[in-house]
Amino acid sequence: MAKPLDQLIEARLEKLRQIEAAGLKGYPNDFRPTATTQDLRRRFGELSHEELEKGEESFAVAGRVMTIRTMGKAAFLHVKDRWGQIQVYVRRDIVGEEAYDRFGLTDAGDLIGVTGRVMKTRTGELTVLCSSLRLLSKALRPLPEKFHGLQDVETRYRQRYVDLFMNDWVRDLFVKRTLLVRYIRNYLDERGFLEVETPMMQPVPGGAAARPFTTHHNALDIDLYLRIAPELYLKRLLVGGLEKVYEINRNFRNEGLSHKHNPEFTMLEFYWAYADFENLIELTQDLISTLFAHLNGTTSLKIGQQEISLAPPFCRMTLAESLHLAGGIPADKVSDAAFLTDWLKKREAEVPPSWGLGKIQVEVYERAVEPTLLAPTFITQHPVETSPLSRRNDADPGVVDRFELVVGGREIANAFSELNDPRDQRRRFEEQVKARAAGDQEAHVMDEDYLRALEFGMPPAAGEGIGIDRLVMLAAGVDNIKEAILFPLLRPESGPQD
């Protein structure tokens, strides 16, 4: 029968007391690794046992003890660092009687520093033959015995620090996330975009249809809002003459939790003066395809049992076309508000009386179309009603020059030609204010300073937002956004925190 956790912790504390009683530190900070496990594998992985026996060079490696197997006067360990793990062979006759006895106080989970030369065992496993070993950090909690099943998924998210060293695929996922962001940054830098920073606390929330988090600044005695999007500040920079700008930013939206929503998330937003949404379609196709080729070595992607291609050109449909072609709505009913309302109500959706045709169409699209689009698809020509910051289409003023990119049934990007007519923008804001007064808490509020900026003249431009977390989900092949965020928001723990 397994010992209770408190007994296991007390046993480790007793070992720590013995170590410190011997005049040693339980948490020193004077060991300096000279090699990583990756360095050793690259340099010596292909050499034979005989070739390694001729070597005399010694290396210092640090990491976490994952397993210990003791056999009287010798022991084998597996030590893991950021790059992977390597076997360590500890022999009493090499490290000495006193050091080997102290080694007996080592537990799985401890962080240690090992010095020794590299060898291979009879089975061909690359191994560090230990000449000296030091405790660097005593782990007071034992490693989890079963950390992999679905029943532990919330524990994995909550104790990400354990998840990272227990599950190699999780560590690899977040390394891939870093490489993804780095690639995007380099891609935009090489094309003349300037990385900038805009406020995360804003006096007027704007740039997206979302409910903000509210905070209060005591010195100024004013309410502020955590940004729901950086859009309106980035477009102010276009007014100021910074013609190509981007920000990889944290956004905050006071909304529910789901497999594809986290209240705090990462977005890329970029704006390009003297360009339109057609230019962004070309750029987005190239960015996505080259990004995945860089990360995964291929533009093919498997979603469920279906393999899709991320090679350009991507599919393209107007929102109205998609309702019929992908959503199964009869072609002659796509613009029939009464029919679409009835369709939604049959699926237990609320349709407020204030909704116009455009809002109703988008609601049907999100239910009937978006989840079915696995291959990358640009959905264009969104209704003006749901696009208060977008430029109207010249041929059909009822829609805007906008696209959403959907891959794997999820929106990955949203982009449009920017509205830069301050008169039209004021009318759109006024409509949003009315919608807000009618109960739509996600409608935009009036932003007089942004209107003032437009009155100084903003160049014709296009802008885009790409969800970094969702892009990581695609690249890593995971279905829950919590897998792509190091520390996702969770309900507070209740009861003992074992």
Side-chain angles (χ1 to χ4, degrees), residues 258-424:
S258 73
H259 69 283
K260 60 180 181 179
H261 290 104
N262 193 69
E264 178 184 2
F265 60 98
T266 304
M267 287 281 290
L268 160 71
E269 288 212 18
F270 58 98
Y271 291 83
W272 182 1
Y274 312 110
D276 64 14
F277 85 117
E278 295 285 357
N279 298 116
L280 291 185
I281 282 179
E282 294 302 316
L283 183 147
T284 303
Q285 290 180 143
D286 184 65
L287 170 60
I288 298 295
S289 62
T290 58
L291 169 64
F292 276 75
H294 174 75
L295 289 178
N296 297 343
T298 177
T299 56
S300 292
L301 187 67
K302 194 166 186 180
I303 298 178
Q305 298 302 311
Q306 184 170 335
E307 188 164 302
I308 64 171
S309 172
L310 295 176
F314 296 170
C315 299
R316 180 168 173 169
M317 289 185 282
T318 70
L319 188 137
E321 288 172 341
S322 76
L323 295 181
H324 171 59
L325 297 176
I329 303 297
D332 61 344
K333 300 296 185 182
V334 164
S335 298
D336 187 331
F339 177 86
L340 297 178
T341 297
D342 185 59
W343 187 95
L344 287 168
K345 289 182 175 179
K346 286 178 179 177
R347 288 153 181 81
E348 300 182 353
E350 290 188 25
V351 184
S354 60
W355 283 11
L357 172 62
K359 178 65 173 173
I360 294 169
Q361 286 177 321
V362 169
E363 190 72 15
V364 173
Y365 161 79
E366 290 179 349
R367 289 169 175 266
V369 178
E370 186 175 273
T372 72
L373 301 177
L374 298 185
T377 304
F378 290 114
I379 300 296
T380 66
Q381 295 190 18
H382 291 245
V384 169
E385 181 182 351
T386 59
S387 312
L389 300 169
S390 309
R391 186 180 186 278
R392 293 178 190 267
N393 181 270
D394 288 334
D396 181 0
V399 298
V400 295
D401 289 335
R402 172 185 170 189
F403 70 77
E404 287 185 358
L405 174 62
V406 181
V407 187
R410 286 187 291 264
E411 177 195 337
I412 300 299
N414 180 36
F416 41 82
S417 299
E418 300 296 339
L419 173 59
N420 63 341
D421 182 339
R423 301 164 303 171
D424 191 1

Side-chain angles (χ1 to χ4, degrees), residues 71-205:
M71 301 170 294
K73 298 180 181 181
F76 285 98
L77 319 177
H78 278 99
V79 174
K80 176 182 279 190
D81 65 6
R82 170 187 164 185
W83 303 102
Q85 66 179 24
I86 196 165
Q87 183 168 259
V88 176
Y89 185 30
V90 184
R91 284 173 39 182
R92 181 188 291 269
D93 62 334
I94 294 179
V95 300
E97 296 281 340
E98 184 179 350
Y100 192 79
D101 289 342
R102 268 200 316 272
F103 164 70
L105 301 175
T106 302
D107 291 298
D110 290 354
L111 290 158
I112 64 171
V114 175
T115 302
R117 69 174 182 84
V118 180
M119 56 169 279
K120 276 189 177 176
T121 61
R122 293 173 187 165
T123 60
E125 184 168 357
L126 196 67
T127 301
V128 176
L129 177 59
C130 178
S131 58
S132 67
L133 178 148
R134 291 185 60 198
L135 174 69
L136 303 182
S137 181
K138 186 65 179 174
L140 300 183
R141 287 176 176 261
L143 297 180
E145 294 180 9
K146 296 179 181 178
F147 208 75
H148 291 277
L150 285 176
Q151 68 272 20
D152 294 316
V153 67
E154 184 169 327
T155 303
R156 287 184 42 244
Y157 300 150
R158 196 177 297 282
Q159 298 180 19
R160 185 69 88 185
Y161 37 87
V162 180
D163 193 22
L164 285 165
F165 67 70
M166 288 299 295
N167 293 314
D168 291 347
W169 71 269
V170 175
R171 180 197 63 207
D172 293 343
L173 185 156
F174 286 104
V175 170
K176 180 173 284 189
R177 180 185 175 114
T178 295
L179 297 176
L180 180 149
V181 172
R182 183 182 301 164
Y183 181 89
I184 291 173
R185 181 173 275 118
N186 290 340
Y187 183 95
L188 293 173
D189 289 345
E190 289 171 1
R191 285 156 181 79
F193 285 84
L194 180 70
E195 184 172 12
V196 297
E197 294 178 335
T198 61
M200 295 178 74
M201 292 193 299
Q202 303 177 350
V204 179

